[in-house]
């Protein structure tokens, strides 16, 4: 793995280039969320219709495979690329998956980290986690962390930092030859603990940093200070990855603090809800005739395709959008599919929403490169509130 | 008539043909996947084109409910609504009503039922069924028939057959688009050869673009099933397509094709995929089975589909019944299998290699040579020599009555 920062804009925000596996990805970038390595709905042969290379970073939680597939079998098959038939993509392994593998801080103990998953509560030891990493062989992986929500006691919080550092050292010592390792940084809502953890992890031999324990109950207002406390202690030249910041404003917040890579569940939740992103990404989209006007009282940045107003709407979700869904299908058809509970609705929505959200990241990178990130952020938040 | 049917090759009763429809030029024999509500569950139009789907079925009953035929018509027809560039076929809506609805009843006027939306009493007449199908705009539309289960006996069957003939005239009269939609008649008559014969003659008299063999695939034993198909294909006109409704088991399709049928439809491949079952040359493969968790082979090593080229049984096993992706991938494979079967039937007949194909097919499915008696009997009538695939003691008693809607039991490969 190689990472180079190319441009800065007003403070913490930076644009960079990440060389990972066979891909060269511009940052800030988005990890697409997956279930057992494949997207929730977009089938693998349709992945190539998403913009490349920015759609090639996939977030994988190795814990997903514990439901039905042994690590031995995955190893025998040859790791994630072979298992999933995706040879052009890069896998970023983080144990936490903000949709279905959430850290269960009350059950985590000195033996391992606890997660609430569809196959029950699992306790994962560092050595077990490393077995998963060496079997799945992701290009990049984060060390095992004890993530705690904002409301735990100071004592519990401090313990989480100590444990996370201990597990980090354990993971690194068992580390397989290949795959870049990102050190996990926690610390809950305590500026002091966040700083302490970051300073410790900064001394370890890692390729980058994974900021954990956020998106677990802290408010958006608290976050900038916590992020700054962490980032200030970290070297500039190594990339930072964060989980749990979903909404566009949260992403912008993270970028302003200096985060480079994001795992977000925004697309998943939009898709499940029947929503499609519509905020314009460029001039042609701003002038589109089928944009829902903001004085109608609805959400200007997305539409709910279940709404009966779309029953006969033969326009695409976003005029001028080049995604598979907008090139081939109408709002009316998707409205029908949602009403009759057909899976194709989610497939088409996940394609469009992914395409659109990746477009949002492109706008961010353009703004950073042009030195106008703060302006872009201000405008976005104000306009699409 | 809005179709052309040109036979390109034969082997005894089996035929390979080119069926030219308004939206697509098809090759028969062919299998039509069922896209009940304007979509094949979990697959995009692009994927369907890629695996070679030629005609897709839409269910009139479901589409008339949602989004309604008026809306489909207003938006330019079902092809445009779904963005499906190839051919479509709609059924009459009658079967769904009888099978899905509580208190559906058939009278001379039509099918009376309770609206599933508000419980109001409603009536689907032959005229209205055709009107709805005219609005939907499929290349092939089906006449409203009086369909009875083959497991029923008695005067009801004869009544239904005669009514079907009376209704065909009403369907023909109501059909406003014969220039771009082909109205197929449906042969009824239960398992009674005399009734079936009367019905065939009656429909042939009306000189329709194509004919369906209905009322089967509903629980009758296989021996009765193939005999009805054989009788109908022997008496229906040679130069028009024959569509056996509700048939989806590969074995049934091969037998019916040997007997001279051209088109098939069934929910089986996609439905069984959602239960975690893959269709393979040996029969079926139940991916849910624990043994699959360690199996690093593809579902079917002979299959060229995206799923078999990229995924192991172990990985699919981890997905099925738990993640939507599992259904999608299995549906993709199962439909690819059915399309490949269609292609193989067509090409083997055209190339004069049909008996070899049939033997090969049967050998893979029955490696011990224990081919069911009904298949042997049917192949004898079709004049296809399958003695090379049969074990010496070939008259195995068929002890199990198999319904076309049940799943095959077979050991995991």
């Amino acid at each position: 793995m190689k990472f180079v920062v190319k441009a800065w804009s007003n403070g913490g925000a930076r644009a960079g280039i990440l060389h990972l596996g066979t891909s060269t990805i511009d940052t800030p970038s988005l990890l697409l969320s997956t279930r057992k390595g494949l997207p929730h709905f977009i089938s693998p042969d349709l992945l190539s219709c998403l913009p490349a290379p920015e759609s090639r970073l996939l977030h994988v939680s190795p814990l997903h495979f514990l439901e039905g597939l042994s690590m031995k079998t995955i190893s025998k098959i040859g790791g994630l690329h072979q298992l999933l038939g995706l040879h052009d993509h890069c896998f970023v392994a983080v144990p936490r998956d903000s949709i279905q593998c959430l850290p269960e801080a009350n059950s985590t103990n000195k033996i391992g980290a606890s997660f609430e998953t569809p196959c029950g509560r699992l306790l994962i030891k560092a050595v077990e986690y490393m077995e998963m990493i060496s079997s799945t062989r992701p290009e990049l992986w984060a060390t095992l962390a004890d993530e705690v929500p904002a409301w735990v006691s100071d004592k519990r919080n401090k313990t989480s930092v100590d444990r996370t550092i201990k597990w980090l050292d354990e993971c690194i010592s068992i580390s397989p030859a290949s795959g870049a390792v990102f050190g996990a940084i926690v610390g809950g809502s305590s500026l002091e603990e966040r700083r302490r953890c970051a300073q410790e992890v900064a001394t370890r031999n890692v390729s980058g940093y994974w900021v954990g324990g956020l998106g677990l109950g802290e408010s958006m207002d608290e976050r900038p200070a916590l992020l700054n406390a962490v980032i200030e202690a970290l070297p500039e030249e190594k990339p930072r990855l964060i989980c749990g910041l979903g909404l566009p404003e949260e992403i912008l917040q993270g970028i302003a603090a200096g985060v480079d890579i994001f795992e977000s569940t925004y697309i998943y939740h939009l898709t499940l809800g029947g929503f499609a992103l519509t905020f314009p990404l460029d001039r042609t989209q701003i002038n589109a005739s089928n944009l829902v006007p903001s004085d109608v009282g609805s959400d200007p940045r997305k539409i709910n395709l279940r709404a009966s107003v779309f029953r006969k709407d033969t326009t695409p979700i976003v005029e001028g959008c080049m995604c598979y869904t907008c090139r081939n299908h109408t709002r009316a058809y998707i409205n029908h599919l949602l009403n009759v509970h057909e899976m194709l609705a989610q497939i088409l929505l996940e394609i469009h929403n992914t395409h659109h959200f990746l477009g949002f990241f492109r706008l961010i990178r353009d703004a950073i490169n042009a030195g106008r990130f703060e302006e872009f952020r201000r405008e976005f938040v104000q306009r699409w509130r | 008539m809005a179709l052309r049917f040109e036979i390109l090759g034969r082997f005894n009763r089996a035929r390979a043909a080119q069926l030219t429809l308004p939206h697509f030029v098809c090759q028969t024999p062919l299998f039509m996947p069922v896209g009940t509500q304007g979509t094949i569950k979990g697959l995009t139009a692009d994927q369907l084109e890629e695996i070679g789907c030629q005609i897709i079925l839409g269910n009139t009953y479901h589409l008339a409910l949602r989004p309604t035929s008026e809306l489909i018509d207003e938006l330019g027809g079902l092809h445009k609504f779904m963005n499906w560039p190839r051919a479509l076929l709609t059924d009459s809506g009658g079967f769904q009503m009888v099978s899905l609805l509580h208190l559906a009843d058939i009278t001379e006027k039509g099918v009376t039922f309770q609206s599933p939306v508000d419980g109001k009493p409603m009536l689907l007449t032959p005229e209205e069924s055709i009107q709805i199908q005219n609005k939907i705009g499929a290349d092939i539309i089906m006449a409203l028939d009086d369909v009875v289960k083959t497991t029923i006996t008695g005067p009801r069957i004869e009544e239904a057959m005669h009514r079907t003939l009376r209704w065909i005239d009403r369907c023909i009269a109501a059909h406003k688009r014969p220039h771009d939609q082909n109205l197929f008649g449906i042969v009824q008559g239960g398992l009674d050869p005399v009734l079936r014969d009367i019905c065939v003659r009656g429909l042939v008299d009306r000189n329709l673009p194509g004919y369906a063999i209905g009322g089967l695939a509903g629980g009758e034993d296989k021996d009765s099933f193939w005999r009805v198909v054989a009788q109908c294909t022997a008496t229906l006109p040679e130069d028009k397509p024959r569509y056996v409704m509700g048939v989806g088991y590969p074995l049934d399709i091969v037998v019916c094709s040997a007997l001279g049928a051209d088109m098939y439809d069934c929910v089986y491949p996609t439905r069984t995929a959602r239960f975690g079952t893959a269709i393979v040359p040996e029969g079926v493969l139940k991916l849910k089975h624990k043994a699959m968790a360690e199996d690093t082979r593809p579902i079917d090593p002979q299959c060229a589909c995206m799923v078999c080229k990229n995924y192991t049984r172990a990985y699919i096993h981890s997905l099925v019944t738990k993640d939507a992706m599992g259904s999608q991938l299995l549906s993709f494979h199962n439909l690819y299998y059915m399309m490949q079967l269609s292609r193989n039937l067509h090409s083997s007949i055209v190339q004069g290699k049909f008996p070899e194909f049939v033997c090969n097919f049967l050998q893979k499915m029955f490696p011990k040579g224990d081919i069911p008696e009904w298949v042997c009997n049917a192949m004898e009538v079709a004049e296809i020599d399958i003695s090379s695939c049969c074990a010496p003691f070939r008259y195995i008693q068929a002890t199990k009555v198999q319904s076309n809607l049940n799943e095959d039991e077979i050991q995991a490969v």
Side-chain angles (χ1 to χ4, degrees), chain A residues 23-56:
Chain A
S23 299
T24 298
I25 313 260
D26 290 324
T27 65
S29 58
L30 174 70
L31 298 182
L32 300 189
S33 70
T34 65
R35 175 97 201 119
K36 294 174 185 156
L38 289 182
H40 297 273
F41 304 107
I42 306 175
S43 71
D45 54 329
L46 294 175
L47 276 177
S48 54
C49 77
L50 290 174
E54 57 248 62
S55 62
R56 294 218 185 115

Side-chain angles (χ1 to χ4, degrees), chain A residues 218-295:
Chain A
E218 78 286 352
S219 75
M220 256 188 83
D221 298 326
E222 285 179 72
R223 227 182 269 142
L226 294 170
L227 284 174
N228 290 333
V230 169
I231 305 280
E232 273 161 14
L234 300 177
E236 282 234 320
E237 70 277 5
K238 293 189 181 174
R240 301 102 178 227
L241 159 64
I242 199 165
C243 286
L245 265 52
L247 300 174
E249 299 86 333
E250 296 179 295
I251 307 264
L252 291 170
Q253 202 182 45
I255 291 174
V259 178
D260 308 292
I261 309 170
F262 295 80
E263 176 252 7
S264 165
T265 59
Y266 191 47
I267 293 171
Y268 178 74
H269 290 296
L270 285 171
T271 300
L272 274 197
F275 290 94
L277 288 172
T278 52
F279 60 85
L281 296 176
D282 60 33
R283 296 277 136 228
T284 60
Q285 292 182 8
I286 287 175
N287 295 328
S289 55
N290 67 351
L291 268 191
V292 177
S294 51
D295 56 13

Side-chain angles (χ1 to χ4, degrees), chain A residues 36 41 84 328 333 336 342, chain B residues 37-38 41 83 315 318 323:
Chain A
K36 294 174 185 156
F41 304 107
L84 306 169
N328 289 290
Y333 185 54
H336 164 68
E342 282 287 348
Chain B
Q37 306 192 96
K41 294 196 187 319
N83 198 16
Y315 181 65
S318 74
D323 299 293

Side-chain angles (χ1 to χ4, degrees), chain A residues 43 45-46, chain B residues 42-52 306 332:
Chain A
S43 71
D45 54 329
L46 294 175
Chain B
L43 297 174
T44 63
D46 262 25
Q47 286 173 313
L48 292 168
E49 270 187 83
E50 204 185 295
I51 66 184
M306 171 272 287
F332 189 99

Side-chain angles (χ1 to χ4, degrees), chain B residues 204-215:
Chain B
V204 170
D205 273 349
R206 272 78 171 175
N207 194 22
L208 296 162
Y211 301 95
I213 302 165

